[in-house]
């Protein structure tokens, strides 16, 4: 006599394959009608144990790749730079690209951000942003324009807030803290004056008169 647990196991396997094959044939119908989105919807439901899985999975991967390619092409249209562009201009352009990727990571109810292709595109864009921030910093620091550095960091952090656990986010946060301190010190220096041996420390918050 068939064990009850074994019976349930067999039943579940049969049902899984039944639903899997139903999804495959539905996907094939839509693929033949050139309705790629609906075909994707069903093909991605095909079980890995199904003999049709390989074919269905190939379609799913190709469909995702096409969506990523379209996303990249539209994002690249925002990169209006040339060989004469400054690091600031390059940075602003790629910040816009990163913003576009953030706002368009879900297409036709598909979350592209979970795919390797999207993540590689995102990391590539972020790397260019970080590289240009690092190229801008020496000039801005020499000019004591710490606020400019902080603003560039803030713009990037805002776009990365959904990925606040990443090393990039943590490093940028530390960098911001560093230049916040430098900005604070520079403001104190700016308002410090000397008069007949007395020193006045003047800041937007307090004035200290040292006898």
């Amino acid at each position: 006599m068939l064990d009850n647990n074994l019976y349930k196991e067999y039943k579940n396997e049969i049902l899984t394959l039944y639903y899997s094959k139903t999804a495959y044939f539905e996907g094939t119908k839509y693929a033949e009608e050139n309705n790629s989105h609906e075909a994707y919807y069903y093909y991605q439901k095909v079980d890995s144990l199904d003999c049709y899985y390989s074919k269905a999975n190939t379609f799913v991967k190709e469909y995702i790749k096409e969506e990523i390619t379209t996303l990249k092409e539209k994002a690249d249209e925002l990169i209006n730079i040339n060989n004469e562009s400054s690091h600031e201009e390059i940075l602003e352009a790629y910040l816009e690209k990163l913003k576009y990727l953030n706002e368009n990571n879900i297409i036709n109810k598909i979350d592209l951000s979970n795919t390797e292709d999207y993540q590689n595109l995102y990391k590539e864009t972020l790397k260019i942003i970080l590289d240009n921030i690092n190229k801008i910093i020496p000039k801005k620091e020499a000019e004591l324009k710490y606020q400019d550095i902080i603003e560039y960091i803030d713009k990037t952090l805002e776009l990365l807030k959904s990925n606040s656990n990443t090393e990039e986010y943590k490093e940028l946060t530390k960098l911001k803290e560093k230049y916040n301190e430098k900005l604070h010190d520079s403001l104190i220096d700016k308002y410090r004056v000397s008069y007949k041996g007395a020193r006045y420390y003047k800041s937007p918050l307090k004035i200290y008169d040292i006898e």
Side-chain angles (χ1 to χ4, degrees):
M1 186 174 181
L2 186 63
D3 178 83
N4 188 51
N5 290 332
L6 192 58
Y7 165 76
K8 289 181 179 179
E9 183 179 337
Y10 286 158
K11 178 183 176 182
N12 288 337
E13 287 181 4
I14 292 170
L15 285 174
T16 296
L17 285 175
Y18 170 78
Y19 291 126
S20 176
K21 292 186 184 301
T22 299
Y24 174 79
F25 289 120
E26 281 294 308
T28 299
K29 181 185 74 172
Y30 284 111
E32 290 172 351
E33 295 173 356
N34 293 319
N35 189 337
S36 296
H37 174 62
E38 288 298 321
Y40 165 84
Y41 175 78
Y42 285 102
Y43 275 146
Q44 53 94 26
K45 292 184 174 185
V46 176
D47 190 86
S48 60
L49 296 177
D50 195 319
C51 62
Y52 293 117
Y53 175 76
S54 179
K55 185 176 180 180
N57 193 47
T58 297
F59 183 96
V60 166
K61 288 181 177 179
E62 287 300 319
Y63 180 76
I64 292 295
K65 187 171 290 188
E66 288 174 8
E67 292 291 352
I68 292 290
T69 299
T70 301
L71 177 66
K72 183 178 184 302
E73 288 173 352
K74 291 182 177 179
D76 284 342
E77 291 175 3
L78 301 171
I79 309 299
N80 187 24
I81 58 174
N82 54 49
N83 293 334
E84 303 299 320
S85 297
S86 66
H87 294 307
E88 287 90 343
E89 290 170 333
I90 296 172
L91 175 59
E92 290 290 353
Y94 276 89
L95 283 170
E96 282 299 313
K97 180 175 179 177
L98 192 67
K99 180 181 177 182
Y100 185 87
L101 293 178
N102 278 343
E103 293 175 347
N104 295 275
N105 62 338
I106 297 178
I107 298 177
N108 293 327
K109 299 182 180 180
I110 303 170
D111 189 351
L112 298 177
S113 65
N114 293 323
T115 67
E116 184 178 355
D117 288 338
Y118 177 93
Q119 291 168 7
N120 288 338
L121 176 60
Y122 194 91
K123 289 177 183 177
E124 174 190 299
T125 305
L126 179 57
K127 183 179 184 304
I128 294 173
I129 290 171
L130 298 178
D131 286 347
N132 279 278
I133 287 178
N134 288 325
K135 289 174 182 177
I136 290 169
I137 283 177
K139 178 185 175 184
K140 294 294 183 182
E141 191 162 9
E143 296 170 346
L144 302 181
K145 293 183 177 179
Y146 303 125
Q147 186 60 47
D148 289 354
I149 297 173
I150 293 169
E151 286 177 3
Y152 286 132
I153 294 173
D154 276 340
K155 287 181 181 179
T156 309
L157 286 174
E158 177 64 22
L159 295 173
L160 293 178
K161 63 183 178 182
S162 61
N163 297 297
S164 58
N165 290 324
T166 62
E167 287 302 315
E168 291 86 355
Y169 189 94
K170 293 175 184 176
E171 288 299 319
L172 281 173
T173 301
K174 289 180 183 177
L175 195 62
K176 179 182 176 180
E177 291 172 357
K178 172 184 174 181
Y179 284 101
N180 269 330
E181 290 177 5
K182 285 180 176 286
L183 177 62
H184 175 73
D185 293 342
S186 69
L187 289 174
I188 290 177
D189 290 340
K190 180 178 179 181
Y191 290 103
R192 182 181 292 131
V193 296
S194 296
Y195 180 71
K196 291 183 179 180
R199 288 189 301 160
Y200 295 83
Y201 289 80
K202 181 179 179 184
S203 78
L205 299 179
K206 297 180 181 178
I207 298 177
Y208 298 92
D209 187 354
I210 302 177
E211 299 292 334

